[in-house]
Amino acid sequence: MIQKVVNGELTPECLDTEDYPCEKTMERWKDWIAGNVNHVNGVLKSIGSGLSEFGMELLNSEVSLMDKLREDGEEWLSILNRITWNFGMPF
């Protein structure tokens, strides 16, 4: 649900049951993700640079790994969470 809210697929206008979060909660989710993009990218680059096939060039890259995950996968938020959790840096 959080991913759908952040992606703009789930908006307050399309909610009609009590099982969904309020509009303020949805805004908090979006703000939290937006406010942590740099931190998350740093964590992902740190993890990736420790892998043998990457290294320092990944750390110095201007590429946003979080944006790449969002572009490439339907379940980008759960993938992001799994990567960071498995490397001891929970998102």
Side-chain angles (χ1 to χ4, degrees), residues 17 31 39-40 44 71 73 82:
T17 70
D31 292 345
H39 173 72
V40 171
L44 291 174
E71 292 169 10
R82 193 169 39 247

Side-chain angles (χ1 to χ4, degrees), residues 9-63:
E9 299 167 15
L10 189 61
T11 63
E13 293 78 34
C14 63
L15 303 178
D16 58 359
T17 70
E18 294 179 21
D19 294 340
Y20 289 101
C22 68
E23 187 173 349
K24 188 67 176 169
T25 297
M26 295 170 100
E27 288 302 315
R28 285 185 190 118
W29 289 344
K30 290 181 198 176
D31 292 345
W32 191 87
I33 296 286
N36 282 287
V37 169
N38 289 334
H39 173 72
V40 171
N41 278 320
V43 167
L44 291 174
K45 287 181 179 187
S46 177
I47 291 168
S49 69
L51 302 174
S52 60
E53 62 266 15
F54 298 111
M56 288 304 291
E57 68 183 54
L58 181 61
L59 279 177
N60 297 325
S61 169
E62 295 293 322
V63 173

Side-chain angles (χ1 to χ4, degrees), residues 43 47 78-91:
V43 167
I47 291 168
S78 63
I79 292 168
L80 175 65
N81 188 46
R82 193 169 39 247
I83 290 169
T84 57
W85 186 266
N86 287 340
F87 282 91
M89 301 176 184
F91 176 51

